[in-house]
Amino acid sequence: MTLNFTEATAYRKLWMPNLFQEFLFKAAIIKPLVDYRTDNVKYIENPYGSQGTITQNSSIVGTYTVADFDVTADTATVTEEFVWSEHVYSFEKIASVADVKGSRMKDAMGQLAYAVDKYALNELCASGTGAYSTPAGGFSQANALAIAANLASKLVGFAANYSSKYIVIEPSDLPGVLLAMFGNGFATSDRALNNGFLNHWADFDWYVCGASTFVTATLGTTAYTNSGHRVAGVKGLATLLMPAGEMQWMEKEVTAKTGVELALAAYAVLKVWNQKAALTVDITVA
């Protein structure tokens, strides 16, 4: 068939909503796991005293030895800076069918939130002094419950009731965990079959971070060796400090350029405090 006109601009077009198509952002999950703070400070000091020693005498002698009491500093220092920046020219803003500034702002916030999350999860994994290696096969259907039970054994038996526990896995671990949820118990199995992934299972809150979140790489000021690792622990014992809130948005006019420069910045430190570091467990996936 021969058309009377072939110029594409002669046809009507449907434009999607006024923002550019969104990127597929990875989940940011760190906040529920930690004590999240936005104080406008660079340091948090959290000193601790030396642990006392109890002497049980072999007989009642009525005497004792006086021990010294020492104080050790434990400090969180904001060291990590996260920055995003782009320039939007005046003509791009005026002539575009989409809200250019709004689109770029939304993209920047999603990217930056994940960057902070990735850093914080890797720091959490690296700084915890608890350690556990899974059975061969990692988070398989056969292993998932045994992993949860073994991790629970590392987080109990203390005077405080550390009941709010978590496990963070990556998407590659999910099939085995899901199959274990589907196949164990009656009411629990039914809930999983009807609703899918259970956020609370085997007395742990389960979180799935983005693929390749745990890395062997340098992130900011620290080199990590966390590829093939995951993390578990007790909620609220580590601190994530982000002064002035999550992100600082800036718009700046630039000499000899139309439009504006857009910038987004955030500052952070994740601190696992020394006295409770054993309640954050570095999981090696075998």
Side-chain angles (χ1 to χ4, degrees):
M1 181 178 69
T2 301
L3 298 175
N4 291 326
F5 56 89
T6 58
E7 174 55 47
T9 57
Y11 293 105
R12 291 192 297 270
K13 296 179 181 179
L14 172 66
W15 285 89
M16 295 296 282
N18 69 334
L19 295 178
F20 289 127
Q21 187 175 161
E22 288 186 21
F23 287 91
L24 190 61
F25 295 125
K26 293 181 179 178
I29 62 172
I30 190 65
K31 284 186 184 178
L33 311 183
V34 298
D35 172 25
Y36 175 63
R37 304 187 66 94
T38 58
D39 308 80
N40 290 336
V41 298
K42 184 176 176 63
Y43 308 100
I44 296 180
E45 299 287 355
N46 190 17
Y48 57 92
S50 55
Q51 189 170 3
T53 301
I54 301 298
T55 301
Q56 185 173 353
N57 296 324
S58 58
S59 62
I60 298 176
V61 295
T63 60
Y64 54 85
T65 300
V66 178
D68 292 332
F69 174 74
D70 300 317
V71 175
T72 302
D74 199 5
T75 306
T77 304
V78 177
T79 55
E80 307 304 315
E81 181 177 53
F82 303 82
V83 180
W84 171 96
S85 180
E86 289 182 355
H87 190 96
V88 175
Y89 289 94
S90 180
F91 181 78
E92 293 173 326
K93 183 178 177 182
I94 294 171
S96 177
V97 69
D99 177 359
V100 177
K101 189 175 80 170
S103 294
R104 303 316 297 155
M105 182 188 302
K106 192 170 185 179
D107 168 56
M109 293 173 69
Q111 302 253 23
L112 194 144
Y114 176 67
V116 173
D117 210 66
K118 184 174 182 177
Y119 149 72
L121 285 170
N122 277 278
E123 181 65 25
L124 194 65
C125 182
S127 297
T129 59
Y132 172 70
S133 294
T134 71
F139 286 87
S140 66
Q141 180 181 4
N143 291 342
L145 276 175
I147 290 172
N150 287 322
L151 288 170
S153 72
K154 295 179 176 293
L155 306 175
V156 298
F158 299 96
N161 180 21
Y162 295 123
S163 59
S164 188
K165 303 184 289 291
Y166 67 86
I167 297 175
V168 179
I169 59 175
E170 288 195 357
S172 59
D173 307 312
L174 187 57
V177 174
L178 265 178
L179 287 170
M181 290 177 176
F182 294 157
N184 287 281
F186 295 97
T188 300
S189 175
D190 287 343
R191 280 195 295 116
L193 287 168
N194 289 324
N195 303 312
F197 181 70
L198 301 176
N199 298 111
H200 187 81
W201 182 65
D203 201 31
F204 281 87
D205 291 337
W206 291 73
Y207 295 86
V208 183
C209 61
S212 301
T213 291
F214 295 99
V215 294
T216 296
T218 298
L219 303 178
T221 61
T222 306
Y224 297 104
T225 54
N226 289 335
S227 181
H229 291 241
R230 307 293 184 260
V231 68
V234 176
K235 289 184 175 182
L237 299 187
T239 296
L240 176 62
L241 171 62
M242 297 187 69
E246 284 191 46
M247 307 173 192
Q248 311 301 310
W249 178 258
M250 294 159 276
E251 298 183 22
K252 305 175 182 179
E253 294 183 352
V254 180
T255 301
K257 288 185 178 182
T258 66
V260 292
E261 180 182 282
L262 308 177
L264 190 65
Y267 309 93
V269 64
L270 189 285
K271 175 65 176 178
V272 176
W273 301 105
N274 291 348
Q275 289 292 75
K276 296 187 175 72
L279 297 181
T280 298
V281 182
D282 176 5
I283 304 170
T284 301
V285 179

